[in-house]
Amino acid sequence: MQGFSHRAVADLPDWAISLQAHYWRVRVEVRNKTMRRKHYRYIAAEKLRLVEAGICPHKINAVCKYLVSLKQVNADRLHAALESETKQLSFNFEFNNFT
């Protein structure tokens, strides 16, 4: 019997609490497909909200991948993603003076 020995415990950031709740509901609603679809729609909306709030999509995907499986490999990837520095987009505009 495998039990819960394969599950990893990782500290999630504060912005991931609602994602954690929805993924838990997906795991609980094993047989009720309509409720699972409903929570997957909530997850998609929450991910979009987080991206619009300025959180790096790479970090959001790492959190979601961990919450889906709760495996140690994904917990390590989550930790690495959260520790990595977020790169801000920048544009290099060159202004030419036409005088």
Side-chain angles (χ1 to χ4, degrees):
M1 182 171 178
Q2 188 174 4
F4 295 105
S5 62
H6 69 286
R7 295 207 174 171
V9 177
D11 292 329
L12 295 174
D14 292 336
W15 51 262
I17 299 302
S18 62
L19 285 173
Q20 182 182 21
H22 289 303
Y23 275 110
W24 181 82
R25 293 296 303 206
V26 167
R27 280 195 302 275
V28 169
E29 300 288 347
V30 175
R31 296 182 187 215
N32 192 348
K33 291 184 180 182
T34 58
M35 289 301 290
R36 290 182 73 174
R37 282 195 304 267
K38 178 181 176 181
H39 286 287
Y40 277 126
R41 285 193 300 269
Y42 287 153
I43 289 168
E46 181 66 17
K47 287 169 72 173
L48 180 63
R49 187 191 70 79
L50 290 171
V51 168
E52 289 175 348
I55 297 173
C56 178
H58 179 68
K59 292 180 182 183
I60 297 170
N61 288 335
V63 167
C64 291
K65 191 161 182 98
Y66 165 71
L67 289 173
V68 166
S69 66
L70 299 175
K71 292 185 179 178
Q72 185 62 43
V73 174
N74 293 330
D76 295 339
R77 289 179 186 162
L78 170 64
H79 181 67
L82 293 177
E83 293 295 320
S84 68
E85 200 173 299
T86 303
K87 296 180 180 178
Q88 181 70 28
L89 290 178
S90 63
F91 297 104
N92 295 326
F93 291 111
E94 293 182 19
F95 296 101
N96 295 327
N97 293 333
F98 294 109
T99 55

